[in-house]
Each structure stands twice: as structure tokens, then as C-alpha cells.
Amino acid sequence: MPDGTKAKHIMIELEPEYQAALNSESKTQRLMPFNDDLLLCLSKGVSRRLLRILDTRFYGMTGTYAAFPYPQLCMLLGLVPEKELRRAKQQLKLYHDEIMDLPKLYQKWQKENRGRDIKPIPPFLLREPEWDDRSSPWRIIYYPGPEAKIHQKHPQKKEIQQALSL
């Protein structure tokens, strides 16, 4: 605590999708339905963070896209926002390209680390992210691909708890 005392309980507030996943008895519904090998095949830490952020946003999503205000996304990725749109696009292009190449990177990683059990994966993003430069601040729009859509529909079986004790 700020005054130096130790807390006896910690309260964490979760989005409804995550609370439902924690309360689920289903073996197929998990808190983070994510293949961690995908993270390992990415070479850049920012790409890994972006992939985790997108996976979290896509999980349980009912819409067709996820949009992030550019400054908020930079904050989540640990980047300093650029003031010019051209530079902002350049700043994120390398990470967007790596996520778009995820199926190839994953197959290469599997060959090097697993040998024969090579399973192709569908693209994580349906197409290149779009920039909405008419909004203020700029927004980046991501469209989930087949890999992300696998995790979008999960039946909710239990009531969501109000709080979790750790």
C-alpha cells in the first residue's frame, strides 16, 4: 500500500469475457485461448506485445474489427507517439508486417523447434491494418483473421462473479 502496509486482499476487475472464462467448466474455453508458440516465432518484443493486445481485444469480440486510438496503442506498446501521420505509420509498419507474416514465421519456427509436427495456421489478421486519419486522434483499425475468429465465440455457462479474491 502507499503507506507501506501490506494488503490482505487484492481485487482485480476483469472484462465479462474473462470472468466467464474463469468461471467456465468447459475444457475448451480458457482465459487466454492463445498459442504461445506464436509469440516465440516473432523476433520483436513490440510485435509480441501487439499480438497479445490484439488477441485480448479479439477474444469474445462480436464486431468485425477492433480500433485503437494511436496514442493509446503507443502507450500500451511502450512507444512514444509521433506527431506526423507519415512517421506514425513508419513507426508501426515493421510490427504490422511481422504480424501479417505470422503464418510463414510460425511454420519456420516449427521446423526449427519441433521437427515434423508442422501445422499451417491461418492468418491472424484478415488484412493490413487501416489508419483512420480523419478522426482525432488517429485510429488504427484491425480486422481479425481466421486464427483470431476461432476464439471469438464461447458459450457463457455460469454467472459472472462480482469480484475475485487472490
Side-chain angles (χ1 to χ4, degrees):
M1 303 297 289
D3 64 357
T5 61
K6 292 183 180 181
K8 292 183 181 182
H9 300 285
I10 298 173
M11 179 153 316
I12 299 173
E13 186 176 331
L14 300 173
E15 293 291 326
E17 294 85 15
Y18 294 107
Q19 291 177 352
L22 283 173
N23 293 329
S24 174
E25 293 174 4
S26 169
K27 291 180 181 176
T28 59
Q29 185 176 5
R30 300 173 292 180
L31 179 59
M32 282 298 288
F34 194 78
N35 179 349
D36 287 325
D37 291 349
L38 291 179
L39 289 175
L40 297 174
C41 74
L42 295 172
S43 64
K44 293 159 189 49
V46 174
S47 297
R48 291 175 181 174
R49 283 193 298 274
L50 179 59
L51 188 63
R52 271 289 190 202
I53 290 165
L54 291 174
D55 186 56
T56 303
R57 181 65 63 95
F58 292 158
Y59 180 68
M61 186 175 90
T62 56
T64 57
Y65 66 88
F68 291 89
Y70 170 70
Q72 177 191 4
L73 185 61
C74 284
M75 182 189 69
L76 293 171
L77 295 174
L79 301 173
V80 176
E82 295 287 345
K83 293 184 185 204
E84 295 177 31
L85 180 62
R86 178 184 58 82
R87 287 187 162 195
K89 287 181 179 181
Q90 284 176 343
Q91 180 186 38
L92 294 178
K93 182 175 178 15
L94 187 63
Y95 313 117
H96 287 159
D97 288 348
E98 194 169 28
I99 290 176
M100 292 302 295
D101 287 340
L102 200 54
K104 291 180 206 164
L105 294 171
Y106 184 64
Q107 280 191 317
K108 180 182 172 188
W109 183 87
Q110 276 193 326
K111 282 180 187 176
E112 293 169 357
N113 295 284
R114 304 249 190 229
R116 297 182 187 215
D117 92 352
I118 299 170
K119 299 176 213 159
I121 62 162
F124 186 77
L125 294 177
L126 188 60
R127 60 180 182 249
E128 288 280 338
E130 294 177 5
W131 285 78
D132 178 8
D133 57 356
R134 294 169 296 200
S135 65
S136 180
W138 309 312
R139 292 183 328 145
I140 306 168
I141 301 169
Y142 295 95
Y143 296 90
E147 175 68 16
K149 287 185 178 186
I150 291 169
H151 308 300
Q152 286 186 354
K153 297 176 183 172
H154 295 283
Q156 295 184 5
K157 295 187 177 187
K158 283 187 167 185
E159 286 296 316
I160 299 170
Q161 290 180 353
Q162 294 295 332
L164 297 171
S165 299
L166 296 178

mmCIF file of all heavy atoms in Angstrom, residues 90-121:
data_model
loop_
_atom_site.group_PDB
_atom_site.id
_atom_site.type_symbol
_atom_site.label_atom_id
_atom_site.label_comp_id
_atom_site.label_asym_id
_atom_site.label_seq_id
_atom_site.Cartn_x
_atom_site.Cartn_y
_atom_site.Cartn_z
ATOM 1 N N GLN A 90 5.181 4.730 -40.252
ATOM 2 C CA GLN A 90 6.507 4.097 -40.328
ATOM 3 C C GLN A 90 6.858 3.407 -39.008
ATOM 4 O O GLN A 90 7.447 2.329 -38.996
ATOM 5 C CB GLN A 90 7.586 5.128 -40.646
ATOM 6 C CG GLN A 90 7.630 5.568 -42.083
ATOM 7 C CD GLN A 90 8.674 6.661 -42.297
ATOM 8 O OE1 GLN A 90 9.133 7.302 -41.349
ATOM 9 N NE2 GLN A 90 9.032 6.880 -43.547
ATOM 10 N N GLN A 91 6.510 4.058 -37.923
ATOM 11 C CA GLN A 91 6.822 3.528 -36.596
ATOM 12 C C GLN A 91 6.204 2.145 -36.376
ATOM 13 O O GLN A 91 6.833 1.255 -35.808
ATOM 14 C CB GLN A 91 6.309 4.502 -35.534
ATOM 15 C CG GLN A 91 6.556 4.085 -34.114
ATOM 16 C CD GLN A 91 5.891 5.025 -33.119
ATOM 17 O OE1 GLN A 91 4.780 5.500 -33.345
ATOM 18 N NE2 GLN A 91 6.591 5.317 -32.034
ATOM 19 N N LEU A 92 4.971 1.947 -36.827
ATOM 20 C CA LEU A 92 4.271 0.688 -36.585
ATOM 21 C C LEU A 92 4.361 -0.299 -37.747
ATOM 22 O O LEU A 92 4.019 -1.476 -37.581
ATOM 23 C CB LEU A 92 2.807 0.957 -36.258
ATOM 24 C CG LEU A 92 2.560 1.697 -34.945
ATOM 25 C CD1 LEU A 92 1.083 1.946 -34.734
ATOM 26 C CD2 LEU A 92 3.138 0.932 -33.772
ATOM 27 N N LYS A 93 4.839 0.135 -38.905
ATOM 28 C CA LYS A 93 4.873 -0.728 -40.089
ATOM 29 C C LYS A 93 5.659 -2.016 -39.857
ATOM 30 O O LYS A 93 5.209 -3.105 -40.216
ATOM 31 C CB LYS A 93 5.447 0.024 -41.289
ATOM 32 C CG LYS A 93 5.450 -0.815 -42.557
ATOM 33 C CD LYS A 93 5.891 -0.045 -43.747
ATOM 34 C CE LYS A 93 5.946 -0.845 -45.016
ATOM 35 N NZ LYS A 93 5.306 -2.109 -45.093
ATOM 36 N N LEU A 94 6.809 -1.925 -39.257
ATOM 37 C CA LEU A 94 7.646 -3.096 -39.017
ATOM 38 C C LEU A 94 6.902 -4.150 -38.184
ATOM 39 O O LEU A 94 6.944 -5.350 -38.489
ATOM 40 C CB LEU A 94 8.918 -2.654 -38.290
ATOM 41 C CG LEU A 94 10.004 -3.680 -38.080
ATOM 42 C CD1 LEU A 94 10.551 -4.158 -39.418
ATOM 43 C CD2 LEU A 94 11.127 -3.067 -37.256
ATOM 44 N N TYR A 95 6.178 -3.716 -37.171
ATOM 45 C CA TYR A 95 5.451 -4.631 -36.292
ATOM 46 C C TYR A 95 4.201 -5.187 -36.988
ATOM 47 O O TYR A 95 3.874 -6.361 -36.841
ATOM 48 C CB TYR A 95 5.091 -3.945 -34.984
ATOM 49 C CG TYR A 95 6.265 -3.200 -34.410
ATOM 50 C CD1 TYR A 95 6.251 -1.827 -34.236
ATOM 51 C CD2 TYR A 95 7.442 -3.876 -34.085
ATOM 52 C CE1 TYR A 95 7.347 -1.146 -33.734
ATOM 53 C CE2 TYR A 95 8.550 -3.206 -33.588
ATOM 54 C CZ TYR A 95 8.491 -1.842 -33.420
ATOM 55 O OH TYR A 95 9.589 -1.175 -32.940
ATOM 56 N N HIS A 96 3.521 -4.335 -37.756
ATOM 57 C CA HIS A 96 2.369 -4.799 -38.519
ATOM 58 C C HIS A 96 2.808 -5.842 -39.552
ATOM 59 O O HIS A 96 2.143 -6.866 -39.723
ATOM 60 C CB HIS A 96 1.680 -3.632 -39.229
ATOM 61 C CG HIS A 96 0.920 -2.748 -38.305
ATOM 62 N ND1 HIS A 96 0.593 -1.443 -38.625
ATOM 63 C CD2 HIS A 96 0.408 -2.942 -37.069
ATOM 64 C CE1 HIS A 96 -0.083 -0.903 -37.630
ATOM 65 N NE2 HIS A 96 -0.206 -1.796 -36.671
ATOM 66 N N ASP A 97 3.926 -5.581 -40.227
ATOM 67 C CA ASP A 97 4.425 -6.524 -41.234
ATOM 68 C C ASP A 97 4.745 -7.875 -40.604
ATOM 69 O O ASP A 97 4.453 -8.921 -41.178
ATOM 70 C CB ASP A 97 5.673 -5.976 -41.935
ATOM 71 C CG ASP A 97 5.364 -4.827 -42.878
ATOM 72 O OD1 ASP A 97 4.172 -4.587 -43.178
ATOM 73 O OD2 ASP A 97 6.323 -4.154 -43.300
ATOM 74 N N GLU A 98 5.348 -7.856 -39.427
ATOM 75 C CA GLU A 98 5.704 -9.106 -38.773
ATOM 76 C C GLU A 98 4.452 -9.908 -38.404
ATOM 77 O O GLU A 98 4.410 -11.127 -38.571
ATOM 78 C CB GLU A 98 6.569 -8.851 -37.540
ATOM 79 C CG GLU A 98 7.229 -10.103 -37.035
ATOM 80 C CD GLU A 98 8.289 -9.867 -35.976
ATOM 81 O OE1 GLU A 98 8.200 -8.871 -35.229
ATOM 82 O OE2 GLU A 98 9.186 -10.715 -35.888
ATOM 83 N N ILE A 99 3.415 -9.243 -37.951
ATOM 84 C CA ILE A 99 2.178 -9.952 -37.611
ATOM 85 C C ILE A 99 1.468 -10.449 -38.861
ATOM 86 O O ILE A 99 0.887 -11.539 -38.857
ATOM 87 C CB ILE A 99 1.273 -9.068 -36.731
ATOM 88 C CG1 ILE A 99 1.923 -8.924 -35.358
ATOM 89 C CG2 ILE A 99 -0.132 -9.657 -36.612
ATOM 90 C CD1 ILE A 99 1.227 -8.030 -34.403
ATOM 91 N N MET A 100 1.552 -9.699 -39.953
ATOM 92 C CA MET A 100 0.969 -10.160 -41.213
ATOM 93 C C MET A 100 1.706 -11.398 -41.736
ATOM 94 O O MET A 100 1.108 -12.254 -42.377
ATOM 95 C CB MET A 100 0.982 -9.046 -42.260
ATOM 96 C CG MET A 100 0.051 -7.889 -41.968
ATOM 97 S SD MET A 100 -1.691 -8.328 -41.792
ATOM 98 C CE MET A 100 -2.078 -8.914 -43.428
ATOM 99 N N ASP A 101 3.006 -11.517 -41.452
ATOM 100 C CA ASP A 101 3.809 -12.671 -41.885
ATOM 101 C C ASP A 101 3.762 -13.821 -40.889
ATOM 102 O O ASP A 101 4.532 -14.777 -41.020
ATOM 103 C CB ASP A 101 5.273 -12.250 -42.081
ATOM 104 C CG ASP A 101 5.477 -11.410 -43.324
ATOM 105 O OD1 ASP A 101 4.611 -11.454 -44.221
ATOM 106 O OD2 ASP A 101 6.502 -10.705 -43.394
ATOM 107 N N LEU A 102 2.901 -13.752 -39.919
ATOM 108 C CA LEU A 102 2.857 -14.746 -38.849
ATOM 109 C C LEU A 102 2.748 -16.195 -39.344
ATOM 110 O O LEU A 102 3.462 -17.057 -38.840
ATOM 111 C CB LEU A 102 1.722 -14.417 -37.890
ATOM 112 C CG LEU A 102 1.777 -15.002 -36.506
ATOM 113 C CD1 LEU A 102 3.077 -14.679 -35.798
ATOM 114 C CD2 LEU A 102 0.617 -14.498 -35.671
ATOM 115 N N PRO A 103 1.897 -16.512 -40.329
ATOM 116 C CA PRO A 103 1.846 -17.911 -40.769
ATOM 117 C C PRO A 103 3.201 -18.438 -41.253
ATOM 118 O O PRO A 103 3.605 -19.541 -40.895
ATOM 119 C CB PRO A 103 0.816 -17.898 -41.901
ATOM 120 C CG PRO A 103 -0.073 -16.747 -41.568
ATOM 121 C CD PRO A 103 0.855 -15.707 -40.973
ATOM 122 N N LYS A 104 3.931 -17.644 -42.039
ATOM 123 C CA LYS A 104 5.252 -18.072 -42.533
ATOM 124 C C LYS A 104 6.257 -18.167 -41.387
ATOM 125 O O LYS A 104 7.026 -19.121 -41.307
ATOM 126 C CB LYS A 104 5.778 -17.080 -43.575
ATOM 127 C CG LYS A 104 5.030 -17.077 -44.865
ATOM 128 C CD LYS A 104 5.637 -16.054 -45.796
ATOM 129 C CE LYS A 104 4.595 -15.582 -46.772
ATOM 130 N NZ LYS A 104 4.962 -14.368 -47.455
ATOM 131 N N LEU A 105 6.251 -17.176 -40.518
ATOM 132 C CA LEU A 105 7.177 -17.184 -39.384
ATOM 133 C C LEU A 105 6.915 -18.378 -38.470
ATOM 134 O O LEU A 105 7.845 -18.999 -37.954
ATOM 135 C CB LEU A 105 7.054 -15.882 -38.590
ATOM 136 C CG LEU A 105 7.490 -14.610 -39.304
ATOM 137 C CD1 LEU A 105 7.112 -13.385 -38.479
ATOM 138 C CD2 LEU A 105 8.968 -14.636 -39.593
ATOM 139 N N TYR A 106 5.645 -18.697 -38.285
ATOM 140 C CA TYR A 106 5.281 -19.814 -37.420
ATOM 141 C C TYR A 106 5.750 -21.146 -38.006
ATOM 142 O O TYR A 106 6.287 -21.990 -37.305
ATOM 143 C CB TYR A 106 3.779 -19.821 -37.185
ATOM 144 C CG TYR A 106 3.316 -20.886 -36.218
ATOM 145 C CD1 TYR A 106 3.726 -20.861 -34.891
ATOM 146 C CD2 TYR A 106 2.468 -21.903 -36.625
ATOM 147 C CE1 TYR A 106 3.298 -21.822 -33.995
ATOM 148 C CE2 TYR A 106 2.034 -22.866 -35.731
ATOM 149 C CZ TYR A 106 2.460 -22.826 -34.420
ATOM 150 O OH TYR A 106 2.031 -23.776 -33.531
ATOM 151 N N GLN A 107 5.545 -21.325 -39.317
ATOM 152 C CA GLN A 107 5.990 -22.569 -39.953
ATOM 153 C C GLN A 107 7.504 -22.707 -39.861
ATOM 154 O O GLN A 107 8.015 -23.782 -39.570
ATOM 155 C CB GLN A 107 5.535 -22.623 -41.406
ATOM 156 C CG GLN A 107 4.093 -23.038 -41.530
ATOM 157 C CD GLN A 107 3.719 -23.341 -42.952
ATOM 158 O OE1 GLN A 107 4.100 -22.612 -43.864
ATOM 159 N NE2 GLN A 107 2.971 -24.410 -43.141
ATOM 160 N N LYS A 108 8.217 -21.619 -40.085
ATOM 161 C CA LYS A 108 9.674 -21.649 -39.982
ATOM 162 C C LYS A 108 10.097 -21.992 -38.553
ATOM 163 O O LYS A 108 10.980 -22.820 -38.328
ATOM 164 C CB LYS A 108 10.248 -20.289 -40.396
ATOM 165 C CG LYS A 108 11.749 -20.215 -40.331
ATOM 166 C CD LYS A 108 12.228 -18.825 -40.713
ATOM 167 C CE LYS A 108 13.711 -18.704 -40.462
ATOM 168 N NZ LYS A 108 14.196 -17.365 -40.620
ATOM 169 N N TRP A 109 9.450 -21.366 -37.572
ATOM 170 C CA TRP A 109 9.766 -21.631 -36.164
ATOM 171 C C TRP A 109 9.498 -23.095 -35.824
ATOM 172 O O TRP A 109 10.290 -23.741 -35.137
ATOM 173 C CB TRP A 109 8.945 -20.715 -35.267
ATOM 174 C CG TRP A 109 9.269 -20.869 -33.814
ATOM 175 C CD1 TRP A 109 10.250 -20.231 -33.116
ATOM 176 C CD2 TRP A 109 8.626 -21.740 -32.882
ATOM 177 N NE1 TRP A 109 10.250 -20.645 -31.808
ATOM 178 C CE2 TRP A 109 9.268 -21.573 -31.637
ATOM 179 C CE3 TRP A 109 7.570 -22.639 -32.970
ATOM 180 C CZ2 TRP A 109 8.879 -22.268 -30.501
ATOM 181 C CZ3 TRP A 109 7.195 -23.337 -31.835
ATOM 182 C CH2 TRP A 109 7.845 -23.140 -30.614
ATOM 183 N N GLN A 110 8.373 -23.641 -36.315
ATOM 184 C CA GLN A 110 8.053 -25.040 -36.030
ATOM 185 C C GLN A 110 9.094 -25.987 -36.625
ATOM 186 O O GLN A 110 9.469 -26.964 -35.989
ATOM 187 C CB GLN A 110 6.671 -25.407 -36.567
ATOM 188 C CG GLN A 110 5.563 -25.037 -35.618
ATOM 189 C CD GLN A 110 4.259 -25.676 -36.019
ATOM 190 O OE1 GLN A 110 3.969 -25.854 -37.195
ATOM 191 N NE2 GLN A 110 3.459 -26.017 -35.042
ATOM 192 N N LYS A 111 9.546 -25.705 -37.840
ATOM 193 C CA LYS A 111 10.565 -26.561 -38.465
ATOM 194 C C LYS A 111 11.833 -26.584 -37.624
ATOM 195 O O LYS A 111 12.455 -27.622 -37.447
ATOM 196 C CB LYS A 111 10.901 -26.064 -39.867
ATOM 197 C CG LYS A 111 9.888 -26.428 -40.904
ATOM 198 C CD LYS A 111 10.314 -25.896 -42.264
ATOM 199 C CE LYS A 111 9.219 -26.111 -43.282
ATOM 200 N NZ LYS A 111 9.550 -25.525 -44.575
ATOM 201 N N GLU A 112 12.217 -25.425 -37.110
ATOM 202 C CA GLU A 112 13.455 -25.323 -36.336
ATOM 203 C C GLU A 112 13.326 -25.916 -34.937
ATOM 204 O O GLU A 112 14.302 -26.402 -34.380
ATOM 205 C CB GLU A 112 13.882 -23.859 -36.220
ATOM 206 C CG GLU A 112 14.293 -23.244 -37.538
ATOM 207 C CD GLU A 112 14.455 -21.735 -37.461
ATOM 208 O OE1 GLU A 112 14.199 -21.141 -36.390
ATOM 209 O OE2 GLU A 112 14.825 -21.138 -38.486
ATOM 210 N N ASN A 113 12.145 -25.869 -34.345
ATOM 211 C CA ASN A 113 11.995 -26.256 -32.943
ATOM 212 C C ASN A 113 11.202 -27.532 -32.692
ATOM 213 O O ASN A 113 11.322 -28.112 -31.625
ATOM 214 C CB ASN A 113 11.335 -25.115 -32.159
ATOM 215 C CG ASN A 113 12.221 -23.905 -32.112
ATOM 216 O OD1 ASN A 113 13.184 -23.890 -31.372
ATOM 217 N ND2 ASN A 113 11.932 -22.917 -32.933
ATOM 218 N N ARG A 114 10.399 -27.930 -33.606
ATOM 219 C CA ARG A 114 9.545 -29.087 -33.351
ATOM 220 C C ARG A 114 9.774 -30.223 -34.348
ATOM 221 O O ARG A 114 9.240 -31.290 -34.175
ATOM 222 C CB ARG A 114 8.078 -28.689 -33.433
ATOM 223 C CG ARG A 114 7.732 -27.556 -32.508
ATOM 224 C CD ARG A 114 6.854 -28.045 -31.429
ATOM 225 N NE ARG A 114 6.353 -26.881 -30.721
ATOM 226 C CZ ARG A 114 6.383 -26.771 -29.433
ATOM 227 N NH1 ARG A 114 6.867 -27.712 -28.702
ATOM 228 N NH2 ARG A 114 5.914 -25.707 -28.850
ATOM 229 N N GLY A 115 10.483 -29.943 -35.406
ATOM 230 C CA GLY A 115 10.714 -31.002 -36.382
ATOM 231 C C GLY A 115 9.521 -31.225 -37.276
ATOM 232 O O GLY A 115 9.130 -30.349 -38.023
ATOM 233 N N ARG A 116 8.915 -32.378 -37.167
ATOM 234 C CA ARG A 116 7.905 -32.797 -38.138
ATOM 235 C C ARG A 116 6.487 -32.305 -37.872
ATOM 236 O O ARG A 116 5.653 -32.380 -38.750
ATOM 237 C CB ARG A 116 7.869 -34.322 -38.202
ATOM 238 C CG ARG A 116 9.147 -34.891 -38.677
ATOM 239 C CD ARG A 116 9.027 -36.376 -38.758
ATOM 240 N NE ARG A 116 10.315 -36.937 -39.060
ATOM 241 C CZ ARG A 116 10.495 -37.978 -39.807
ATOM 242 N NH1 ARG A 116 9.476 -38.588 -40.321
ATOM 243 N NH2 ARG A 116 11.703 -38.425 -40.029
ATOM 244 N N ASP A 117 6.174 -31.881 -36.698
ATOM 245 C CA ASP A 117 4.763 -31.546 -36.434
ATOM 246 C C ASP A 117 4.426 -30.140 -36.923
ATOM 247 O O ASP A 117 4.042 -29.263 -36.194
ATOM 248 C CB ASP A 117 4.381 -31.820 -34.977
ATOM 249 C CG ASP A 117 4.546 -30.663 -34.028
ATOM 250 O OD1 ASP A 117 5.101 -29.641 -34.421
ATOM 251 O OD2 ASP A 117 4.095 -30.782 -32.883
ATOM 252 N N ILE A 118 4.531 -29.933 -38.218
ATOM 253 C CA ILE A 118 4.270 -28.628 -38.830
ATOM 254 C C ILE A 118 2.799 -28.543 -39.201
ATOM 255 O O ILE A 118 2.301 -29.313 -40.003
ATOM 256 C CB ILE A 118 5.145 -28.420 -40.073
ATOM 257 C CG1 ILE A 118 6.613 -28.473 -39.666
ATOM 258 C CG2 ILE A 118 4.795 -27.117 -40.761
ATOM 259 C CD1 ILE A 118 7.558 -28.508 -40.838
ATOM 260 N N LYS A 119 2.119 -27.607 -38.558
ATOM 261 C CA LYS A 119 0.709 -27.381 -38.843
ATOM 262 C C LYS A 119 0.559 -25.958 -39.337
ATOM 263 O O LYS A 119 0.909 -25.026 -38.620
ATOM 264 C CB LYS A 119 -0.128 -27.569 -37.578
ATOM 265 C CG LYS A 119 -0.047 -28.935 -36.993
ATOM 266 C CD LYS A 119 -0.823 -28.980 -35.700
ATOM 267 C CE LYS A 119 -0.147 -29.946 -34.770
ATOM 268 N NZ LYS A 119 -0.463 -29.750 -33.391
ATOM 269 N N PRO A 120 0.044 -25.766 -40.543
ATOM 270 C CA PRO A 120 -0.145 -24.392 -41.006
ATOM 271 C C PRO A 120 -1.225 -23.694 -40.180
ATOM 272 O O PRO A 120 -2.171 -24.328 -39.720
ATOM 273 C CB PRO A 120 -0.582 -24.549 -42.466
ATOM 274 C CG PRO A 120 -1.086 -25.938 -42.559
ATOM 275 C CD PRO A 120 -0.394 -26.747 -41.501
ATOM 276 N N ILE A 121 -1.047 -22.423 -39.961
ATOM 277 C CA ILE A 121 -2.060 -21.659 -39.243
ATOM 278 C C ILE A 121 -2.644 -20.623 -40.188
ATOM 279 O O ILE A 121 -1.961 -20.132 -41.089
ATOM 280 C CB ILE A 121 -1.493 -20.949 -37.991
ATOM 281 C CG1 ILE A 121 -0.414 -19.951 -38.375
ATOM 282 C CG2 ILE A 121 -1.005 -21.943 -36.980
ATOM 283 C CD1 ILE A 121 -0.114 -18.944 -37.305
#
